[in-house]
């Protein structure tokens, strides 16, 4: 009798994914995005490199799945202003978690010169959030894409410049900027 | 009789810098930020790696000087709205030049985990523009830093997601957003 499908590494898939994602964020946090090679992530997770490559064809694909797991769903309660403010607080807090900001900034920087990775980023990472926000805000696609660029870009730029999440007073200014614009 | 100080590589310093900066952008454009190692940049520039390291102690320091050279001064003519709009058009055009967007996004991503590089970015790259904008806009430091985060972050996020500079209609929306906020 089988209660779960054992993974190639002899562990259930969910356990393996949780182990690999935690090891990925830890490695990126300790060594930076560039230093966190598939080799080092595999070592940190205690799995073979082939086990990683069987599930994720590239480091970019692994990072995107790791970010999706770290982010979870965007909170969408309340009216338009509340939705935008809580989405901003949510992604700012996520970007402040150890390894997440560095992984997020790193995968974008890699994507500038990598069309295949851009495709993964746009469809796998961005699209679910874009669709949820379009639906909740009743805004057309182009406006929601600009909202995502402004919020995520601003937070990542601040993180790259200061190494820290954005302070609450600046977060409030960003929310006010978005409130004035998307109304 | 000496008409200019010969560099270590036997060329005047300004020539050497121009050669190295062009080779840096070309290499980043062709191989991406991570692939553009100091070794490969030296080879593309036709200089010894030691010549690079004598002037730039790290790849981050070289990229920052290369970006400063590519950007030049921010245009600051006209009233507040004109200054903000022309600054946005200026940096959007620069980010769209081959290699510049990738170098800019890459150095930010590296900086998330590198305090020494963040210091170079904040003081050497950002500070001259921040001071010029503070003076021209009559805004306090914190507001100008937010302006820089929003504009640069948004443009780089779009570049990472699409591989292309922002379209004119979105650029107009970004300018309107900034105009509504910084008034």
């Amino acid at each position: 009798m089988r209660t779960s499908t054992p993974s190639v590494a002899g562990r259930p898939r969910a356990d393996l994914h949780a182990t690999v994602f935690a090891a990925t964020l830890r490695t990126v946090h300790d060594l930076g995005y560039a230093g966190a090679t598939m080799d080092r992530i595999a070592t940190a997770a205690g799995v073979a490199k082939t086990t990683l490559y069987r599930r994720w064809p590239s480091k970019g694909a692994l990072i995107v799945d790791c970010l999706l797991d770290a982010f979870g769903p965007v909170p969408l309660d309340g009216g338009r202003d509340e939705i935008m403010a809580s989405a901003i607080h949510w992604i700012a807090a996520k970007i402040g978690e150890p390894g997440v900001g560095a992984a997020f900034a790193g995968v974008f920087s890699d994507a500038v010169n990598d069309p295949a990775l851009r495709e993964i980023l746009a469809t796998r990472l961005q699209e679910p959030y874009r669709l949820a926000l379009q639906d909740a805000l009743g805004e057309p696609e182009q406006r929601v894409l600009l909202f995502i660029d402004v919020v995520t870009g601003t937070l990542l730029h601040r993180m790259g410049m200061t190494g820290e999440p954005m302070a609450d007073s600046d977060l409030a200014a960003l929310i006010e900027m978005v409130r004035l614009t998307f109304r």
Side-chain angles (χ1 to χ4, degrees), chain A:
Chain A
M1 191 179 104
R2 287 198 341 199
T3 52
S4 74
T5 311
S7 77
V8 183
R11 280 184 273 185
R13 178 178 297 251
D15 277 12
L16 180 76
H17 283 205
T19 303
V20 169
F21 294 156
T24 302
L25 292 180
R26 210 162 58 235
T27 309
V28 169
H29 183 63
D30 292 344
L31 305 174
Y33 181 85
T37 59
M38 288 291 259
D39 258 331
R40 283 171 173 154
I41 292 169
T43 303
V47 303
K49 201 166 132 182
T50 49
T51 305
L52 286 195
Y53 276 110
R54 210 168 287 128
R55 281 167 183 76
W56 298 282
S58 66
K59 172 172 151 183
L62 167 58
I63 296 282
V64 164
D65 273 6
C66 180
L67 289 172
L68 277 168
D69 179 71
F71 293 162
V74 52
L76 294 170
D77 293 328
R80 287 173 55 84
D81 286 1
E82 283 171 275
I83 290 171
M84 291 191 292
S86 63
I88 290 173
H89 279 294
W90 162 79
I91 194 67
K94 295 294 182 187
I95 286 174
E97 288 176 9
V100 174
F104 203 14
V107 80
F108 273 114
S109 135
D110 258 8
V112 171
N113 278 63
D114 183 341
L117 181 53
R118 283 204 300 276
E119 181 68 21
I120 295 175
L121 270 179
T123 56
R124 205 162 153 71
L125 184 61
Q126 181 170 265
E127 192 153 294
Y129 297 110
R130 174 181 67 76
L131 291 171
L133 286 166
Q134 253 176 260
D135 194 46
L137 297 173
E139 290 270 1
E141 175 173 351
Q142 201 186 2
R143 295 288 285 173
V144 173
L145 287 175
L146 183 65
F147 174 84
I148 293 173
D149 284 334
V150 167
V151 172
T152 313
T154 300
L155 294 169
L156 289 177
H157 188 275
R158 176 63 57 103
M159 172 69 87
M161 202 55 100
T162 67
E164 314 226 335
M166 188 168 261
D168 284 346
S169 58
D170 283 314
L171 221 45
L174 178 61
I175 289 168
E176 175 65 8
M177 169 179 284
V178 161
R179 196 187 61 76
L180 284 170
T181 305
F182 297 91
R183 53 202 273 152

